[in-house]
Amino acid sequence: MGRARTLLREQASSWDLPPEVTETATLLLSELMTNAYRHAKVSPGREIWTRCVLKAGLLHIAVSDANATPPAPRHACPEDESGRGLALVATLSDDWGTELRPGGIGKRVWFELAVARGAG
């Protein structure tokens, strides 16, 4: 997960993204990577992938894994130590969703952030 965050920050820097977009994107990527790692239960040899694309003023970030079960948002109680990841994604992103991967192996969970005109 640390490698994915580092690579995202490097790419965001090369795109000259605003710091607030970079920080939000890094947080949300971390949440999706953590969910994939904890819940995907992929078989050995399968990997978790991420892809970042900047196009037409939108930063689109997707995390893919080999488990086709979609993530289920849940309500975390104040004393819970986890369970807020998808709520953060829903609250802080401009859009998000999940879809089956082409070829029928696994899913992709993604989010988008609007990038100010002139950035990237």
Side-chain angles (χ1 to χ4, degrees):
M1 289 176 278
R3 180 173 159 85
R5 289 189 303 261
T6 298
L7 292 172
L8 173 57
R9 284 189 184 107
E10 289 172 0
Q11 185 62 57
S13 177
S14 75
W15 284 332
D16 198 25
L17 295 182
E20 63 275 7
V21 172
T22 300
E23 290 308 310
T24 300
T26 302
L27 170 66
L28 300 184
L29 172 61
S30 184
E31 293 297 334
L32 293 187
M33 292 292 287
T34 298
N35 281 354
Y37 179 77
R38 283 187 179 168
H39 304 293
K41 307 250 188 290
V42 297
S43 35
R46 297 287 183 175
E47 296 178 350
I48 298 169
W49 292 85
T50 187
R51 182 164 188 227
C52 306
V53 176
L54 179 62
K55 185 176 180 182
L58 285 177
L59 176 61
H60 180 94
I61 298 180
V63 174
S64 301
D65 63 58
N67 185 311
T69 304
R74 66 181 194 125
H75 177 74
C77 296
E79 62 274 1
D80 290 344
E81 293 183 12
S82 64
R84 295 174 184 81
L86 289 178
L88 280 172
V89 172
T91 300
L92 298 177
S93 69
D94 292 300
D95 196 11
W96 79 282
T98 184
E99 59 200 16
L100 294 177
R101 288 175 53 199
I105 299 174
K107 68 181 170 302
R108 182 177 298 121
V109 183
W110 57 269
F111 67 87
E112 291 180 333
L113 297 172
V115 177
R117 185 171 282 214

